[in-house]
Amino acid sequence: SAVASFDTRGEISPALREMLEVAADDLIDAKGRAIVTAGQDLPAEIHALVAAMNQVLGAAGKTVSYVPAGADEARDGLSDLAELLGTMRAGRIKTVVCVETNPCYDTPTALGFGEAFDRVTNRIVLSISPSETAARATWQLNAATYLESWGDTEADDGTIAPIQPMIAPLYDGALSEIELLALIAEKRIAEDYTHQPSGYEAVRSVWQSRFDWSDFEKSWRRALHDGLIAGTTSRGDTGGQAASSLYANVAGVLASAAVGVDPSSDALDVVVTTNNMHDGRFANLPWLQELPQFGTTIVWDNPALVSPKTADRLGLKPDPYTVKEPKAQMAKVAVGGRWVEVPVWIMPGMADNTMIMFQGYGRREVGVIGAGVGFDVQPIRDAAGTRVYTGAKVEPAQGRYPISSTQNHWSMESRTSIVRAVDLPAYLRHGDLKEEKVSHYGNTAELNFGEKLGELSHTPPNESIYKNPYNESRSAPAEGSAYTVGPQWGMSVDQGTCIGCATCTIACQSENNIPVVGKTEVRKGREMTWIRVDRYFTGSDMHEPGVMHHQPVMCQHCENAPCETVCPVNATTHGPEGLNYMVYNRCIGTRYCANNCPYKVRRFNFFDYATKKTKGGYRPEIPEGTPKPENINLIPPRLREKVEEIQKFKNNPDVTVRSRGIMEKCSYCIQRINAARYEMKLQNLEHIPDGFFQTACQAACPTGAIVFGDLLDEKSLVAQAAADGRSYGLLGYLNTRPRTTYKVSLSNPNPRLRKPVEDPFHHGGHDSEGEHGAEEGNGHALFIDPLKKHEDSGYAGSLRVLGAAVGVHA
């Protein structure tokens, strides 16, 4: 129908324009901006249609930019490689050089690169780590890391920027990419084979020939200082001009599009894409292996994903989460004569009769960490490298496979109103609401919009049973108390901005020397991450889930911290700046604090993860005359001391490396707070300015959802966020007085598709379980406790279903 909606001149028809405008209304956010994006795995026809939608939205030149691509950038690299393979098989190529690539693994098996590669006489591979291609090479060359290498870049807009090394070379003889290419191209190599070009000299010589600078040395140093060459931007945003060109060509692109039949249980659509491992290059990084994947929160594996209904129909249901070690059903997936066997997991919200598979796993030659992790799905891909396949046959295979997912770990059971979301009209109407409540005992409390959406709207004002020594009262800090003197640190998380990417988790892990524990220990609930990203669905049935919401949860640094009152040795205490301290050398590992924490954000070291080598250490010495096994990880004794010293670089020297038996949790990056305090004194500042430093999670967040600073500084971002009407405290009705607050998520529904909710405070009835019902048509989410409603569903093993309700009241 989309193809038929364009006339012969390539202009959009009124019917399709109206359809796009209806969709466009649903895409405009609270600030009047809108954009449609297409996934990188989708074909060109979809991208062309998306370009047309952005033109109707008026997004071109505003929220979306178009940059013309050069001829080389638009080439199909895989087709070029296929052409090269024919020459390799014919024996007309004597030498192949692979520079930091691994085509023996990450190209489609149907392409047959490995077999063609074996027919080449000289096979040279430059790589940092072991790889399937390096294992088949005749020469393996050590590559320098990007931190040791010189180079340069040219951005999409033409901006030229230098790459300069951050550290001196760690090992002698390691070559960067440009140094190897310069060595190969060096004409004097036959005369002087000891000559090794320098990356520094190579970059300088190229720049000297390209730029007509009167004072090259001065301009060179300026470029290194600034990080780019000013004035080199040549291909700016063409905005509406490029959009109009794309828009006029949409009809022609769509006319050649092959429109297939709808997928069915007998002929599934299969999408092969990437996740944390990318194309496999990150498979040996344990932090990424143990990072819970988006949506499923699975670690150390890549099961194929299907919807609950599809799993039911095909007999591929995984074990329920109540099983101690849940397992997934193995399945055989075949398309076009190619097939793979993979475990299958459930992802609510996916289209029925569709399967998503992730590449980058099942590596054979990669190193200690990634070897044998997951399943290689490259055999399912065709020689053209297609990402989307139709007509796939999927049937159960023999066996079930154990899966480790963190979804049901550290859950805040039987809690409601954890994640809160409302429609934009409701916020515009009630966002400035402030309601004062008075209890029977005369206690008062003022509720804002976000707080009134939760339990505090129908509970008496909170008052502590004891006086907090830092606020000298049973409620808010009294005048002159420690908590009225700055700085008082706090954090805010905007749930409307968070996209659930878990970048904050990795940033925290690297900043605070948090170790990985492995797939087996994760399955026991022993993962060590200080920030978890919980994922919730709206709706009452996981077969038909609504919107997916994300919520990063870390230590809330409660002013009335429940963990502190139960620690028998005062290992966890409070400081005058509002931080919940954790004194490692005082902790005796009773774990009372973890049991008493309603947010479940404390982690216990069961083993010496940080001081032991993952998957064991080095092999013992092999006596002379004994056949030596093939072991790419065997490091000669003369190099071990150097390797041990370099391995220490993985740790942040400003943070203690914890041992077993220690409880730990988020510290609000106290090492960065202290560093800022020292720098403040050196610069003769009266106080730490807002933005003077950032926590690791805040600095890494790509959407700016996390802000941190002094709550007493009215101009600080965190103080403004805390004072916003959308702000509320997680489980605030417990009177823990958390220093971390969350912002209610906003949505802007198209009124032609769904009537927006304008009165979020309308209460439904209560059922026998004490849950709030949702009246038909009022747009309220149904509140369901997953432990009561879904423990036998067979699906909860893959996600925390409808856990704490997403809605407007509790």
Side-chain angles (χ1 to χ4, degrees):
S1 62
V3 175
S5 298
F6 286 88
D7 62 21
T8 56
R9 295 173 299 171
E11 294 182 358
I12 196 168
S13 70
L16 183 55
R17 177 181 291 277
E18 182 180 0
M19 180 190 76
L20 294 177
E21 288 176 347
V22 170
D25 288 342
D26 197 41
L27 296 168
I28 299 175
D29 65 12
K31 296 182 179 180
R33 302 170 303 187
I35 184 175
V36 187
T37 59
Q40 62 179 359
D41 302 317
L42 297 179
E45 296 81 8
I46 302 300
H47 284 265
L49 186 60
V50 165
M53 295 182 70
N54 281 322
Q55 180 72 2
V56 174
L57 285 168
K62 296 179 180 179
T63 53
V64 60
S65 302
Y66 294 97
V67 178
D72 292 335
E73 296 168 295
R75 291 177 64 91
D76 183 355
L78 204 57
S79 63
D80 289 347
L81 184 59
E83 182 180 345
L84 175 66
L85 290 180
T87 344
M88 292 168 60
R89 293 189 185 97
R92 295 199 299 270
I93 293 181
K94 300 300 181 183
T95 302
V96 170
V97 181
C98 297
V99 180
E100 278 294 354
T101 56
N102 187 19
C104 285
Y105 167 79
D106 57 29
T107 56
T109 305
L111 199 61
F113 181 89
E115 293 75 9
F117 189 60
D118 290 339
R119 296 192 178 190
V120 178
T121 305
N122 302 309
R123 306 183 295 276
I124 303 172
V125 173
L126 176 76
S127 65
I128 295 175
S129 58
S131 69
E132 288 79 358
T133 306
R136 304 173 82 149
T138 56
W139 286 88
Q140 298 182 32
L141 306 180
N142 296 329
T145 67
Y146 69 95
L147 295 173
E148 310 166 76
S149 306
W150 283 93
D152 52 18
T153 61
E154 185 171 357
D156 288 337
D157 61 1
T159 303
I160 296 176
I163 300 175
Q164 49 187 322
M166 300 292 293
I167 59 175
L170 296 175
Y171 300 103
D172 298 330
L175 294 173
S176 66
E177 296 180 14
I178 62 172
E179 287 172 343
L180 175 63
L181 296 176
L183 182 63
I184 294 174
E186 180 62 63
K187 295 180 179 179
R188 293 177 298 165
I189 189 171
E191 303 171 3
D192 182 12
Y193 59 86
T194 62
H195 175 69
Q196 179 175 326
S198 162
Y200 175 76
E201 295 172 356
V203 175
R204 279 176 57 93
S205 62
V206 169
W207 283 29
Q208 280 179 319
S209 62
R210 179 167 179 176
F211 302 108
D212 186 17
W213 289 335
S214 57
D215 189 342
F216 176 80
E217 193 64 33
K218 181 178 180 180
S219 300
W220 164 259
R221 291 185 176 276
R222 170 54 60 184
L224 295 181
H225 176 273
D226 296 345
L228 55 85
I229 302 178
T232 53
T233 302
S234 58
R235 293 180 293 169
D237 174 22
T238 57
Q241 180 181 357
S244 300
S245 175
L246 286 169
Y247 189 55
N249 294 327
V250 167
V253 176
L254 290 180
S256 61
V259 181
V261 298
D262 289 341
S264 64
S265 56
D266 296 325
L268 271 67
D269 282 353
V270 174
V271 180
V272 181
T273 185
T274 60
N275 63 359
N276 298 347
M277 298 300 104
H278 197 45
D279 58 2
R281 68 187 65 179
F282 301 138
N284 208 47
L285 298 179
W287 278 342
L288 286 182
Q289 288 282 11
E290 199 155 296
L291 177 66
Q293 298 167 23
F294 178 86
T296 63
T297 69
I298 288 173
V299 299
W300 293 94
D301 263 312
N302 63 326
L305 305 182
V306 296
S307 69
K309 288 183 179 179
T310 302
D312 280 343
R313 284 196 292 261
L314 297 178
L316 299 174
K317 292 168 54 176
D319 292 338
Y321 81 102
T322 49
V323 175
K324 184 177 182 180
E325 296 185 359
K327 296 181 179 180
Q329 174 63 47
M330 293 295 296
K332 180 179 179 180
V333 184
V335 56
R338 304 174 303 277
W339 62 275
V340 292
E341 284 194 4
V342 291
V344 176
W345 206 246
I346 286 176
M347 182 64 210
M350 278 184 56
D352 293 335
N353 302 319
T354 301
M355 174 177 284
I356 297 179
M357 306 175 76
F358 300 101
Q359 69 178 81
Y361 293 80
R363 294 284 305 274
R364 298 170 294 281
E365 302 285 344
V366 63
V368 177
I369 302 298
V373 175
F375 296 82
D376 184 8
V377 300
Q378 294 291 7
I380 201 71
R381 301 179 66 197
D382 58 20
T386 308
R387 293 287 185 178
V388 181
Y389 301 91
T390 59
K393 303 291 184 183
V394 180
E395 59 185 25
Q398 185 175 5
R400 297 179 73 83
Y401 181 80
I403 295 292
S404 294
S405 171
T406 64
Q407 181 54 41
N408 290 302
H409 300 170
W410 318 109
S411 60
M412 294 174 277
E413 290 95 341
S414 303
R415 313 292 190 189
T416 52
S417 290
I418 290 180
V419 177
R420 303 178 190 179
V422 297
D423 292 340
L424 179 60
Y427 179 68
L428 295 177
R429 182 177 178 183
H430 302 285
D432 296 331
L433 171 72
K434 292 202 180 285
E435 176 184 328
E436 184 169 325
K437 297 189 65 176
V438 181
S439 72
H440 296 293
Y441 302 99
N443 301 325
T444 62
E446 186 178 72
L447 304 183
N448 64 8
F449 174 77
E451 293 168 333
K452 188 169 170 55
L453 295 174
E455 295 87 348
L456 290 176
S457 63
H458 46 270
T459 58
N462 281 320
E463 185 178 67
S464 177
I465 61 174
Y466 62 91
K467 283 189 177 181
N468 189 311
Y470 284 115
N471 60 22
E472 299 179 9
S473 75
R474 299 178 184 273
S475 54
E479 185 177 354
S481 63
Y483 282 164
T484 61
V485 179
Q488 292 297 317
W489 303 111
M491 181 174 286
S492 175
V493 181
D494 191 340
Q495 295 173 135
T497 307
C498 176
I499 58 176
C501 65
T503 304
C504 56
T505 301
I506 284 293
C508 177
Q509 201 152 7
S510 58
E511 170 73 19
N512 294 290
N513 301 332
I514 302 174
V516 297
V517 302
K519 178 180 177 178
T520 302
E521 295 301 310
V522 169
R523 200 179 312 142
K524 300 175 183 177
R526 293 178 175 178
E527 63 271 12
M528 297 296 296
T529 51
W530 289 4
I531 300 179
R532 69 175 190 267
V533 181
D534 289 340
R535 186 271 343 265
Y536 299 102
F537 284 94
T538 60
S540 58
D541 184 358
M542 63 180 300
H543 285 80
E544 297 290 342
V547 179
M548 180 166 60
H549 292 266
H550 305 278
Q551 184 180 62
V553 182
M554 67 293 288
C555 175
Q556 306 290 293
H557 290 267
C558 313
E559 291 182 3
N560 297 334
C563 55
E564 297 174 9
T565 58
V566 294
C567 180
V569 293
N570 282 343
T572 177
T573 59
H574 229 75
E577 295 181 352
L579 298 181
N580 178 250
Y581 297 147
M582 188 66 230
V583 186
Y584 299 132
N585 59 359
R586 189 182 294 168
C587 176
I588 60 174
T590 62
R591 290 175 283 172
Y592 294 160
C593 56
N595 185 64
N596 217 38
C597 174
Y599 307 100
K600 303 305 174 189
V601 290
R602 289 176 165 266
R603 305 291 179 261
F604 184 71
N605 265 300
F606 281 89
F607 299 104
D608 283 327
Y609 304 115
T611 59
K612 298 294 185 292
K613 291 183 174 63
T614 305
K615 295 187 178 180
Y618 301 117
R619 290 192 177 187
E621 293 295 337
I622 302 174
E624 289 293 332
T626 305
K628 297 183 179 180
E630 293 184 3
N631 179 20
I632 59 175
N633 299 308
L634 179 62
I635 301 177
R638 61 187 175 83
L639 294 179
R640 290 184 185 176
E641 183 177 349
K642 193 171 186 179
V643 170
E644 292 282 2
E645 187 66 25
I646 291 174
Q647 286 180 344
K648 296 177 182 178
F649 293 170
K650 67 182 180 182
N651 291 328
N652 183 351
D654 296 329
V655 180
T656 302
V657 177
R658 284 81 62 189
S659 61
R660 69 180 302 179
I662 298 298
M663 184 66 68
E664 57 187 68
K665 50 86 189 175
C666 163
S667 66
Y668 270 172
C669 287
I670 189 172
Q671 68 278 2
R672 295 194 176 196
I673 295 176
N674 288 332
R677 185 176 288 111
Y678 300 147
E679 188 64 27
M680 174 197 71
K681 294 178 179 178
L682 292 175
Q683 297 186 23
N684 294 321
L685 300 175
E686 294 183 359
H687 62 278
I688 301 176
D690 186 48
F692 194 68
F693 75 99
Q694 293 183 324
T695 60
C697 58
Q698 176 190 11
C701 180
T703 63
I706 302 175
V707 293
F708 176 83
D710 183 3
L711 290 170
L712 296 185
D713 181 1
E714 295 181 355
K715 296 182 180 180
S716 68
L717 293 177
V718 69
Q720 295 174 12
D724 190 279
R726 291 193 290 144
S727 182
Y728 69 96
L730 187 61
L731 305 183
Y733 68 95
L734 297 178
N735 198 30
T736 58
R737 298 179 62 85
R739 282 293 178 93
T740 298
T741 57
Y742 294 83
K743 281 187 175 181
V744 175
S745 178
L746 299 179
S747 59
N748 189 23
N750 185 344
R752 285 184 280 183
L753 301 178
R754 174 173 73 81
K755 183 180 179 181
V757 179
E758 297 186 5
D759 183 10
F761 306 112
H762 178 75
H763 287 256
H766 294 262
D767 63 13
S768 60
E769 298 289 344
E771 298 161 351
H772 287 270
E775 295 186 5
E776 185 69 25
N778 69 359
H780 289 198
L782 181 64
F783 295 95
I784 295 181
D785 182 347
L787 298 185
K788 296 178 181 177
K789 299 295 185 182
H790 292 282
E791 60 185 12
D792 297 320
S793 67
Y795 305 128
S798 61
L799 47 105
R800 184 179 299 159
V801 195
L802 301 166
V806 178
V808 293
H809 57 76

